[in-house]
Structure formats: structure tokens, C-alpha cells
Amino acid sequence: YIELLQCNFTHSHPHSIKILGDITLGGLFPVHSRGPAGVPCGEIKKEKGIHRMEAMLYALDQINSDPELLPNITLGARILDTCSRDTYALEQSLTFVQALIQKDTSDIRCSNGEQPIIRKPERVVGVIGASGSSVSIMVANVLRLFEIPQISYASTAPELSDNNRYDFFSRVVPPDSYQAQAMVDIVKALGWNYVSTLASEGNYGESGVDAFVQISREAGGLCIAQSIKIPREPKPGEFDKIIKRLMETPNARGVIIFAHEDDIKQVLEAARKSNLTGHFKFVGSDSWGAKSSPILDQEEVAEGAVTILPKRASIEGFDQYFTTRSLENNRRNIWFAEFWEDDFRCKLTRPGIKIDPEKKKCTGEKRIGRDSHYEQEGKVQFVIDAVYAMAHALHNMHQDLCPGATGVCDKMDPVEGRLLLSYIHSVNFNGSAGTAVLFNENGDAPGRYDIFQYQMTNTTNPGYRVIGQWTNNLRLNVEDMQWTGGSRQMPDSVCSFPCRSGERKKMVKGVPCCWHCELCDGYQFQADEFNCEMCPFDMRPTLNRTACRPTPIIKLEWHSPWAMIPLFLAILGILATLFVIITFIRFNDTPIVRAAGRELSYVLLTGIFLIYLITFLMIAEPGTVVCAFRRLLLGLGMCITYSAMLTKTNRIYRIFEQGKKSVTPPKFISPTSQLMITFILISVQVVGVFIWFGVMPPHTIVDYEEQRPPNPDLAQGILKCDMSDLSLICCLSYSIVLMVTCTVYAVKSRGVPETFNEAKPIGFTMYTTCIVWLAFVPIFFGTAQSTEKMFIQTTTLTVSMSLSASVSLGMLYIPKVYVIILHPEQNVQKRKRSFKAVVQAATMSSRLSQKSINDKQNGETKIEPDRTQ
């Protein structure tokens, strides 16, 4: 690798302009716009880039040809392109400090063994630039480390006035703090007190808006509606969103804009696309100034815009210089050919590259200003003043350090940066516009601004018209101002209109002149001009929200659809139950009634009747008596029903389990014993309910929370008993335990032959009942957040209870009633069998069933003879 090294090292800068001289100045200009993602540079910028950069070359030519300023000393330059991007500019600016960085080349040798000759890069004594404040801040942080003074011609961010952080930075333009003060004065002169701010992300935009907001807050009488930031890399549709946000406060028609010209143009375009031409009235900073590029093709939207620009003058000498530039006499500008193609919309021929047939071939006969539009860029004067300020500082320094010497003396080789900075701060001369160029202790120039308005009608040519000036105070000619369509009437951009009834004033924090009208929402009413208060829990606001009114109280009505279905089922169930009871009483001594267990059957039917009856209590208007009976009967009916069933299934299970062990009947299987067991089980429920009565006596409440939707007009209080969902479930929990236990015994007794008992019907009853109640739980608790909660839960509970009662009635008693009524011949006494015979038959049936299962599992099927005959 070492052998391949060349022995004469040179430093090439393919993207820079090199002008030879005794003293070299650096230059930073946005020759190109910011490129898309991944590409540092975009399209060429004719005005902000080429015009300003050529202004530096022009100033160098003028200084070098001036025998009075820096005689016998030639100023050179190294000019770089920042591509309008701070990070890229930082990389480029490292060129300026190369000469100050010590490099160790002792390990490098040429192929012949000799040490290479490395040409040192030129030493830059000062830098002119940059343009954007964010770029200047990034570069200033590097240059101060190497004590290289910097004079900007366009960076106006107030942050750069910090002499502790940016001590080597100066500028010939006033900072935005002066500009912000001028813009506040303009807004007040227009009679506005409610404006929005729009800032490009970065130091220039954000610092400018911050200064404007701060000054307006201190001055008072001016409200900021919205402060919106334009992202550094806007996404598609971003500017449409910005316009929508601005329209969230439509009264704020005035928009204070500190933004780059590309962002300004897109804001105007988005406003036009949203059909808001003439709605917004812009007050633009110096980045807008009097430029034509931001408003190109958007003139109607920009009409009436008031802009501000540091006081300037068009430099005639530069116009003569620039309009005579051509491809032949301006080869030192490496970007001039690209400018030429863009300006004349043509294409230069290059070896091996075909010309686009849609573009004409460039010729050397074209002339700027004659064959293309030309208007001097607004900051040209300041670029020239910045170069002259550096030249005057070097001149004064040369006179002090090298009196009588021709050229640069040893004391200025190299130039000491900190000493040069002191000379820069001491300069005071008449600039290119005839105004004094000087710096304060922070390196800032004094504030002098021209105020423009873009007008389209009643003028000779549509364009910017000077309507005032600002030098520490405002002089505005309001009578010269025109607005959309040539109107002379001042547009409104006022902060707040009086609030309507039901709205309170919410003062904007820090801006006492401005308020937002806030509706007293929800259940609030307007207590006074500035406050909303909540209505009492049993009231809701009136329609105009100036007072409260009682919340209407409702209950489940008999004619409600939620009540009619449960009532229909309950009435059918009660009629069916009464029919069964009457049938059983009439045929009380028949074999089927006696076999069903008359005593427990009447108890069970009483429980079923009470289950149907609870529907009427659940729908009836709540009162102390109704609530008491609800507590008592809600669980009692189910408790009676499932206590009787449990006693039955337990009796059957014990009989046949005992029969497997001995022929002695088990205890407590007589009707009297069965009734005693049943009543003991029922008494647990009754005692629990009466304890509940003692701890919390039954009473009614009005629930205002259950039907309290966001819209208070729909709010209703519900008259109900003081039974929560939890207490209701607790009330039913004992019955559910009985039901589950009964189901377990039904499962255990499933092998008992149907010929001998009711085990299988009871089992089917319990299986079905469990399914009903499993469906009940998710419906009941799943509607807890519904506004119809009470109605849905009441209907669900009553229907579930009626269904469970109907299942019990239908499976246990309807078949018996069917036989009693329609087939009385079957309701006869059969041969009595002893307890031992019954058990043996059941045991034999169980074994046969088990043997049949085993045969099927072994793949065999045997036909047993019928032995029942």
C-alpha cells in the first residue's frame, strides 16, 4: 500500500471554489437546497445560493482592486456549499480547520524510501457565513475551538447573540429579537390581538417565534392562538395537517411565520388547496422578505401578506457585475454551469451524455437579465458588507501590526484569531447601502427594517410595496395597505368573542387578554363567568346549562317489553303449576301420586309456584314491603324446589347404595323423615334472609349512577331495592349449592333402572337447569356497563328462574299428569315387592348394563334372551 502512495500529496476539494490570495477567507453558502432522504444536496438555489456566493466574489474583486483597502495584499477564498443542511455544512467546514490540525506523517514513506512532500492546506483566517441560523450554530461551535472569526450575512437567530457560547460569531444583520419586536409592533398597529405562529424546525424558526411570544407576553394585549412547528423533514400531507390545525382557531386569521422559503411556499400551496385563499393574513419574517420564489404561483394566497426585511439597498455595481457573467468569463464558479442550465432552461453538452430532447441546447449568446428574469437577492448587500467588515478588520490589524510593511508581515503570519475578532468588533464604516456597519458587544448589527406588503391590485405591477420602516420604533403607513381584492378594510384577527350561555371563560395561561370559551360539559352548569360546577348527584343541567334540574326517576313498567316476556312465562307457569297441584289433590290416593311421594311433591310444587311468583315481585314498583318479599322469595322458591329434589335423589342413592351391602333399608327414608330433611335445608335459607333483615332492613334507593351517560339529557334515576348484584348472587348462592349437589346425586344415581324410581327424570332436570344458569351468568354480568343494565338483568334473572321452574315442572310432573288424565288404565296398583327384591333387580340390571358395555369394548355382540316375560 505504501508503494502506491504518491510523493506529492495534494488536497482536492471537488465541491469548493478556490481563489488564490495572500490571506484566505472561508465562505459558506446554500448553493443547493436540502436533498431528499439519503442525499445531502438537492436542486440549485439561484437567489439564496448563486447570487449570494457571487456577491462574495464581487466583494473580493472590489477589495483587491481598491488601492486604499489592504494595499499590496490580495484576499483569497475557499467557498463551500452547505446544501442548506447543518450536518453537511459541519462536514464541509472542517476544511477551514485542516491547517490547524497537526497530522503525524512520520510513518508514511514513498516507494524510494523518502518522506513524502505534503502540501499544507491554506489557512483560513475568517469565515463569511453561513446563511441559515441552524447551519451557523453548528459551524460556530467548531470554528470557536480553533479561534476562527465568523461573520454571517443572514443568520438572525437570537441564540447567536450569546457571547459566552458564540464568542467568535458576528453578523451584519440584526438578530430576530429586533425583528420579533418589529413584528409585535406591526400586529398591534393592525389592531390584531389573536394570532398564530408558524416556525420551521431549527434555530431560526423556533428562536424567532420564541422571541415573538416572549415580547408579546411582556407587552400584553396580544394572544397566541397556536404555535405550530414545521418538521425539518416534512412527510407527505404535513402542510395540509398544518392548515387544518390553523383552522382549529379560525378567528386567528393573522399568522406570524418564521420559516424557510421552501416551507413558506408549501404553506401557501396547502392553504390554496384547502380553498382558504384570502382567509389567512401572513406576517412574514426576513426569510420571506421581498422574495418572489416563496410566492411563485401562489400570489392570490399571499395577497396582503406583510413582510419584514433588514433595511437594504440594491447594489447597482453587483447588478452590472452579475448580468455580465457568462460561461466563458466565470469559470472560477464551479456551479455556474448548473445555474446557467436552470436559469435558461437549457442543457449543456458534455462528452458521452445525450441531450434531453425536451430541453434545448445552451448557447453562449444568452445574457442574464435579458434572456432570463433577474432580480437582485435581498441579502446581497449583507454578503458584501460582511466581506468588507472582515477586510476592514484585517486592514486595521495590518496597520497596527505591520506599519509601513508591504504585504503580510511576520506578525500577521499566521493571523491570530482572537486578535482579529477584537478588530472586527471595532469596525465602523459606511456599507454598500450607505448605512453604517458596526457591531455591539455581542457581535450583532443594529436593527433597521423595511416593511413590505404584497399587493396585486391598484398598482402598476403586482409585487411588494414598502409600507413602513422600523428603527427601534414603528412607522407604518396604514393608508397604503391593501388586502384581498384590493379592499382597504382592515381584516379582523381578534382573540375572543363573548361566550354563550352555558360556556365559561378559560383564560389562556400567561396571556390575560385572551380566553377560550369552554362548554360546561357533562353534568356541569355555568356557576359564573369563569367557573363550571357539577350539579348535585340527583340533578342534571338545564338545556342552556345555566342551572340544574331534577333527574327524572324511572322503574321497570308492567307494559315495558322487558317485563312482558317474563310476565307471560310466569303466568303460563303459574297456571301449569296450579293445574298440576289440583290434579294431584284430586287424584291424591292414586298409585302414581303416591309413588311420586305426595308430601315432597307438594313441597316441590310449592317451590316451583314461588319461583314463578317472584317475577311479579321483581317487576312491581319497589317499596319496603316489595323489597322485603323480594329478599325472602327470591331464593326461597329455588331453595324449596332443590331441597325437595336433593332429598329425593339422596334417598334413592342411599337406598341402592345400602342395597349393595345389605338387605336392611337405610335410615330416614320415610315420608316424615324426608319432610324433616327438606325443611331443615329450607330453614337455612330462611334464617339467612332474616339475619339479612336484621343487619340491613329492606328499603328502596334511587340509583343515579346506573343510567348516567355522557349526555345528561339522557340521564335517569332508577328506583330499585337496595340489592346489589353481589347480594343478589349471595341470595341465590345457597340454592345454587343445593342445585349442584342435587346434580351430583343425580349423576351418581343414573344407573338405577327407570322402572323403580324418578332418578333419571330428576337427573335430566338438573342437567338442563345447570345449562340454563350457566347461560344466565355471562348475560347477567356481561351487561354491567350497559345503560339498560337494570332492565336486561331483571329480564334475564326472571326468565332464567321461570325456565328452570318450567324444566322441573315439565320433566317431573307433566308426564304423570298426562298418564293420570289421558291414560287412567295405567294408574293402577302393581304387585308389591319387598325391599330385597327391588335391590336385587336393580343390582342385576346394573350388572347386565356393565356386561353389555364390556362386550362392546371386546368387539362382540351377544343377544340375551328376554327374561322379563
Side-chain angles (χ1 to χ4, degrees):
Y1 173 75
I2 295 177
E3 292 180 357
L4 297 175
L5 287 171
Q6 299 295 321
C7 293
N8 186 11
F9 284 74
T10 60
H11 292 264
S12 62
H13 300 280
H15 300 295
S16 66
I17 294 176
K18 169 64 178 174
I19 307 295
L20 297 175
D22 301 318
I23 298 176
T24 302
L25 302 181
L28 292 171
F29 295 92
V31 179
H32 292 87
S33 62
R34 184 169 52 219
V39 181
C41 302
E43 299 177 349
I44 196 163
K45 302 181 80 169
K46 295 193 296 183
E47 295 178 347
K48 292 182 72 173
I50 297 298
H51 283 206
R52 294 178 182 181
M53 190 267 293
E54 285 287 354
M56 181 174 178
L57 297 178
Y58 167 76
L60 290 176
D61 291 346
Q62 294 295 309
I63 293 168
N64 289 335
S65 62
D66 189 343
E68 301 297 329
L69 187 60
L70 290 174
N72 301 316
I73 296 178
T74 302
L75 286 181
R78 170 73 69 184
I79 300 177
L80 304 174
D81 180 9
T82 66
C83 290
S84 307
R85 191 186 295 270
D86 49 6
T87 52
Y88 182 78
L90 179 62
E91 296 173 10
Q92 295 291 296
S93 64
L94 295 178
T95 303
F96 299 145
V97 301
Q98 283 182 351
L100 303 176
I101 300 175
Q102 298 295 326
K103 297 180 181 178
D104 184 8
T105 59
S106 58
D107 293 340
I108 302 176
R109 291 289 184 274
C110 292
S111 57
N112 57 7
E114 295 181 0
Q115 196 167 6
I117 301 172
I118 300 177
R119 190 180 72 184
K120 293 186 66 175
E122 74 274 13
R123 187 184 181 100
V124 173
V125 301
V127 174
I128 306 300
S131 177
S133 295
S134 58
V135 177
S136 287
I137 287 172
M138 189 76 79
V139 173
N141 286 318
V142 174
L143 297 182
R144 73 185 294 269
L145 298 177
F146 297 91
E147 297 188 341
I148 299 176
Q150 175 186 1
I151 302 178
S152 174
Y153 49 84
S155 298
T156 57
E159 185 179 349
L160 289 164
S161 296
D162 188 348
N163 200 31
N164 295 320
R165 294 177 58 193
Y166 306 105
D167 46 343
F168 279 82
F169 178 85
S170 306
R171 50 186 163 191
V172 292
V173 287
D176 286 338
S177 53
Y178 296 160
Q179 183 176 194
Q181 179 64 64
M183 295 173 80
V184 169
D185 293 345
I186 291 171
V187 169
K188 288 194 168 187
L190 295 176
W192 297 348
N193 66 359
Y194 192 41
V195 296
S196 295
T197 62
L198 198 55
S200 291
E201 184 178 6
N203 295 93
Y204 171 76
E206 295 179 55
S207 299
V209 164
D210 288 345
F212 180 87
V213 172
Q214 179 65 29
I215 293 170
S216 64
R217 183 179 295 119
E218 293 172 356
L222 184 59
C223 304
I224 307 300
Q226 293 193 75
S227 287
I228 301 175
K229 183 164 42 175
I230 302 171
R232 196 183 302 269
E233 302 287 347
K235 297 177 182 178
E238 188 70 41
F239 290 93
D240 295 329
K241 293 180 181 177
I242 289 172
I243 295 300
K244 287 182 180 179
R245 282 195 60 191
L246 289 174
M247 283 305 295
E248 291 175 4
T249 50
N251 290 343
R253 298 179 64 189
V255 179
I256 311 303
I257 182 165
F258 279 83
H260 306 306
E261 57 181 88
D262 294 338
D263 292 340
I264 295 170
K265 186 168 185 177
Q266 294 196 66
V267 167
L268 297 177
E269 184 179 357
R272 179 181 58 80
K273 284 165 55 180
S274 300
N275 295 322
L276 293 172
T277 299
H279 177 80
F280 295 114
K281 302 304 175 185
F282 297 96
V283 178
S285 62
D286 62 341
S287 60
W288 185 336
K291 296 174 189 169
S292 57
S293 55
I295 63 170
L296 187 63
D297 300 326
Q298 311 296 335
E299 290 84 0
E300 291 184 358
V301 185
E303 185 178 9
V306 177
T307 61
I308 192 170
L309 194 64
K311 199 167 185 63
R312 61 164 188 162
S314 182
I315 312 303
E316 294 183 6
F318 176 78
D319 289 340
Q320 295 174 358
Y321 160 82
F322 190 73
T323 54
T324 58
R325 296 301 91 192
S326 66
L327 295 171
E328 291 76 18
N329 63 15
N330 200 21
R331 296 184 182 275
R332 63 182 179 179
N333 184 348
I334 63 172
W335 298 291
F336 194 73
E338 189 178 354
F339 164 80
W340 193 270
E341 289 179 326
D342 187 78
D343 197 41
F344 293 107
R345 299 179 182 176
C346 62
K347 198 70 178 176
L348 291 169
T349 56
R350 294 183 178 87
I353 299 177
K354 294 183 179 180
I355 300 178
D356 187 347
E358 296 182 2
K359 290 189 176 181
K360 59 184 179 180
K361 180 180 177 182
C362 294
T363 65
E365 299 175 358
K366 301 287 186 180
R367 285 295 175 265
I368 299 171
R370 185 191 70 186
D371 301 306
S372 67
H373 174 74
Y374 167 74
E375 183 180 353
Q376 188 179 122
E377 202 276 330
K379 293 292 194 303
V380 163
Q381 165 202 340
F382 300 106
V383 175
I384 297 172
D385 287 346
V387 178
Y388 265 90
M390 193 72 77
H392 277 283
L394 288 169
H395 179 82
N396 296 337
M397 185 179 184
H398 183 266
Q399 286 184 330
D400 292 345
L401 299 182
C402 310
T406 302
V408 179
C409 65
D410 293 339
K411 290 184 179 181
M412 289 185 65
D413 190 14
V415 174
E416 186 183 346
R418 190 166 292 277
L419 184 60
L420 176 59
L421 179 65
S422 66
Y423 280 97
I424 290 174
H425 285 178
S426 301
V427 298
N428 190 341
F429 64 95
N430 284 332
S432 54
T435 55
V437 176
L438 66 159
F439 303 96
N440 63 14
E441 65 278 4
N442 296 323
D444 295 331
R448 292 186 291 264
Y449 296 97
D450 284 326
I451 301 167
F452 298 86
Q453 187 183 41
Y454 186 76
Q455 300 179 356
M456 293 184 63
T457 57
N458 298 333
T459 57
T460 306
N461 292 309
Y464 295 97
R465 179 178 179 182
V466 177
I467 57 170
Q469 297 178 342
W470 190 92
T471 50
N472 295 323
N473 56 71
L474 177 66
R475 295 191 300 276
L476 187 66
N477 301 320
V478 178
E479 62 277 5
D480 293 336
M481 302 183 74
Q482 295 181 13
W483 305 95
T484 304
S487 172
R488 298 279 181 176
Q489 183 177 358
M490 195 78 68
D492 290 327
S493 187
V494 295
C495 183
S496 303
F497 295 101
C499 294
R500 294 173 293 184
S501 60
E503 294 179 340
R504 74 178 182 98
K505 290 182 179 179
K506 183 182 178 182
M507 305 306 295
V508 177
K509 188 176 181 180
V511 190
C513 69
C514 190
W515 65 84
H516 298 301
C517 291
E518 277 195 353
L519 180 68
C520 295
D521 58 354
Y523 291 81
Q524 295 180 329
F525 72 101
Q526 184 183 357
D528 54 44
E529 187 179 7
F530 299 99
N531 296 294
C532 293
E533 293 182 1
M534 291 293 294
C535 286
F537 74 97
D538 59 344
M539 304 186 79
R540 59 179 179 171
T542 56
L543 294 177
N544 61 5
R545 295 184 176 274
T546 55
C548 293
R549 53 179 171 159
T551 301
I553 299 173
I554 63 166
K555 62 180 181 63
L556 186 56
E557 300 291 344
W558 295 101
H559 55 77
S560 168
W562 296 105
M564 293 176 70
I565 294 175
L567 286 173
F568 176 73
L569 293 176
I571 292 171
L572 286 180
I574 288 173
L575 293 176
T577 305
L578 290 174
F579 179 73
V580 171
I581 292 173
I582 293 170
T583 302
F584 266 50
I585 292 173
R586 182 179 177 185
F587 297 95
N588 188 54
D589 294 324
T590 61
I592 286 181
V593 175
R594 289 203 306 270
R598 287 175 295 185
E599 297 79 5
L600 281 182
S601 291
Y602 290 130
V603 172
L604 200 151
L605 288 169
T606 302
I608 292 174
F609 180 83
L610 292 178
I611 292 175
Y612 286 124
L613 188 64
I614 193 65
T615 297
F616 295 90
L617 291 173
M618 296 299 293
I619 296 174
E621 181 176 348
T624 303
V625 176
V626 171
C627 291
F629 275 104
R630 276 190 192 180
R631 284 193 192 181
L632 180 64
L633 300 182
L634 182 62
L636 185 61
M638 292 180 63
C639 177
I640 293 172
T641 302
Y642 297 122
S643 293
M645 283 191 190
L646 176 59
T647 305
K648 276 193 173 189
T649 53
N650 175 263
R651 174 176 177 272
I652 295 168
Y653 175 74
R654 287 190 296 114
I655 287 173
F656 289 99
E657 283 297 310
Q658 179 73 14
K660 295 177 183 178
K661 301 174 184 178
S662 69
V663 295
T664 305
K667 298 179 180 180
F668 308 115
I669 62 173
S670 65
T672 304
S673 301
Q674 296 294 290
L675 286 175
M676 291 295 295
I677 294 171
T678 302
F679 286 125
I680 289 172
L681 292 174
I682 294 171
S683 66
V684 175
Q685 173 79 19
V686 175
V687 170
V689 171
F690 277 98
I691 292 174
W692 188 9
F693 283 158
V695 174
M696 186 183 296
H699 62 277
T700 58
I701 59 171
V702 179
D703 188 346
Y704 292 98
E705 296 296 329
E706 187 171 313
Q707 289 206 15
R708 195 175 175 88
N711 184 359
D713 294 335
L714 303 177
Q716 294 173 321
I718 299 175
L719 180 64
K720 60 198 300 189
C721 292
D722 61 330
M723 293 177 64
S724 64
D725 294 347
L726 180 61
S727 61
L728 186 145
I729 294 300
C730 290
C731 185
L732 296 175
S733 60
Y734 179 63
S735 299
I736 293 172
V737 170
L738 293 175
M739 182 178 68
V740 172
T741 308
C742 187
T743 304
V744 171
Y745 275 111
V747 171
K748 288 184 176 183
S749 304
R750 68 187 182 278
V752 178
E754 186 178 356
T755 311
F756 304 109
N757 55 73
E758 294 178 299
K760 288 186 178 179
I762 292 176
F764 289 132
T765 299
M766 300 318 301
Y767 306 151
T768 308
T769 304
C770 288
I771 293 172
V772 170
W773 285 98
L774 285 175
F776 158 77
V777 172
I779 296 174
F780 187 85
F781 290 100
T783 57
Q785 303 302 320
S786 172
T787 55
E788 304 286 344
K789 172 187 171 184
M790 185 195 73
F791 303 139
I792 296 174
Q793 290 188 343
T794 302
T795 302
T796 304
L797 177 62
T798 52
V799 168
S800 297
M801 295 184 72
S802 294
L803 287 177
S804 62
S806 299
V807 168
S808 302
L809 185 68
M811 289 193 172
L812 295 179
Y813 294 105
I814 295 302
K816 293 178 173 59
V817 172
Y818 173 78
V819 172
I820 292 171
I821 301 298
L822 299 179
H823 295 282
E825 71 278 3
Q826 296 181 12
N827 190 10
V828 295
Q829 181 72 39
K830 294 184 179 180
R831 181 174 58 88
K832 289 186 178 181
R833 291 186 290 181
S834 66
F835 175 77
K836 179 179 178 180
V838 171
V839 171
Q840 285 177 346
T843 305
M844 179 63 68
S845 177
S846 177
R847 289 175 180 174
L848 289 174
S849 299
Q850 185 64 37
K851 187 173 186 303
S852 176
I853 293 171
N854 292 337
D855 290 344
K856 287 182 180 180
Q857 290 176 346
N858 294 330
E860 299 178 358
T861 305
K862 293 184 179 180
I863 302 175
E864 294 290 335
D866 187 0
R867 294 174 181 159
T868 60
Q869 295 179 355

